Amino acid sequence: MEQIETETAIMVADGHPERRREAFFGRLKGPKLRQHQAALIANRLPALRLDLTMPPPAALSALYASPKERFRLEIGFGGGEHLLHRSGEDLACGFIGVEPFVNGMAKLLSALEAAPRDNLRLFDDDAALLLDWLPAASLDAVDLLYPDPWPKKRHFKRRFVNTKNLDRIARVLKPGGYFRFASDIDTYVNWTLRHVGDHSAFIWTAARPADWQTPFAGWPGTRYEAKAIREGRPPAYLTFQRV
């Protein structure tokens, strides 16, 4: 779905505006929230939202009610189906979900009413801000699943996969940790393979075609993915390891 660029500017010392959101170009709001959804954003989200005005914890377990054995970040979780599934199947893992789109955040919060999680924290702004805040070598995995492909060539610079963001992901991943990427857009898949392949911190783990043609282990599937397959766009599932 084509998204509308939304910019938030601040005035810096020299008086020139600067984008507060460096890596996020999508729209922040869609259809008007229902009253209950708006109440969840106002009342439930603050308890789960990470506060980046505070110093990052020395250990990420401090972000959760009980100790966790590993930590996983999902960038741009959409409606939260994948994040909800993963956080439910691995309670020993502390999850962080990023989604600036308020309607997607409201959808996840609604689902959490019926299936609460004590291993889930949320962030509703630019993922680049969170990546800069997190401690180095603190995450076991980072997922970027079906990101906005920005298919027009003049918009390629808006794609989340770029050298600067790969530097950020490399900094927060533990050695041996994984960066997972999924997309049904060939140009973005090739773009990602080229950019990650040029980055010295990652290796692509695939040894044969089935390794990128087969969904990740435990993959629940998504409605967007099903639509892409129906329309003849087979997804690619890329796994890169932090070296």
Side-chain angles (χ1 to χ4, degrees):
M1 179 172 60
E2 183 70 14
Q3 295 189 329
I4 302 169
E5 180 176 358
T6 303
E7 293 200 2
T8 301
I10 58 175
M11 301 303 293
V12 293
D14 60 3
H16 291 88
E18 178 180 83
R19 291 189 73 252
R20 187 183 301 274
R21 294 182 176 89
E22 176 185 326
F24 178 74
F25 294 90
R27 57 180 181 163
L28 297 178
K29 293 183 179 180
K32 183 178 179 180
L33 295 178
R34 297 190 297 273
Q35 184 176 358
H36 181 61
Q37 290 177 315
L40 289 172
I41 294 291
N43 302 319
R44 177 59 176 157
L45 179 57
L48 298 173
R49 180 193 283 124
L50 294 178
D51 182 1
L52 271 55
T53 66
M54 300 296 291
L60 291 190
S61 273
L63 299 175
Y64 303 89
S66 60
K68 303 301 173 191
E69 298 174 5
R70 51 195 166 272
F71 303 93
R72 186 166 175 173
L73 168 66
E74 183 170 340
I75 298 172
F77 60 71
E81 297 93 342
H82 178 265
L83 183 59
L84 193 70
H85 173 82
R86 293 295 190 186
S87 59
E89 71 175 4
D90 190 359
L91 299 179
C93 181
F95 288 82
I96 301 172
V98 178
E99 183 52 67
F101 185 46
V102 67
N103 298 72
M105 183 65 74
K107 185 175 181 181
L108 175 64
L109 291 171
S110 296
L112 288 174
E113 285 192 294
R117 301 278 190 271
D118 71 353
N119 61 335
L120 179 59
R121 298 300 301 271
L122 302 173
F123 185 63
D124 56 346
D125 208 325
D126 186 350
L129 300 173
L130 177 64
L131 289 169
D132 288 342
W133 179 82
L134 287 168
S138 59
L139 297 177
D140 296 87
V142 174
D143 297 322
L144 181 64
L145 309 173
Y146 293 99
D148 192 324
W150 294 107
K152 296 178 182 178
K153 190 172 182 179
R154 68 177 183 271
H155 291 157
F156 280 4
K157 62 185 179 182
R158 300 181 181 181
R159 290 174 168 175
F160 191 85
V161 175
N162 57 49
T163 301
K164 192 167 185 178
N165 285 335
L166 290 174
D167 287 343
R168 289 180 164 115
I169 293 171
R171 187 188 72 84
V172 299
L173 274 177
K174 299 174 183 178
Y178 293 97
F179 170 46
R180 298 184 181 93
F181 173 93
S183 179
D184 60 300
I185 306 301
D186 287 345
T187 59
Y188 204 175
V189 173
N190 293 335
W191 169 281
T192 299
L193 286 170
R194 183 169 67 254
H195 278 75
V196 182
D198 289 341
H199 200 290
S200 61
F202 299 96
I203 56 169
W204 187 24
T205 63
R208 56 190 185 280
D211 292 334
W212 70 82
Q213 295 170 350
T214 304
F216 306 119
W219 178 253
T222 70
R223 287 178 293 174
Y224 180 87
E225 177 187 63
K227 180 175 183 290
I229 294 172
R230 288 196 305 270
E231 295 176 357
R233 299 190 307 276
Y237 309 89
L238 310 180
T239 300
F240 305 96
Q241 188 169 28
R242 176 72 165 95
V243 295

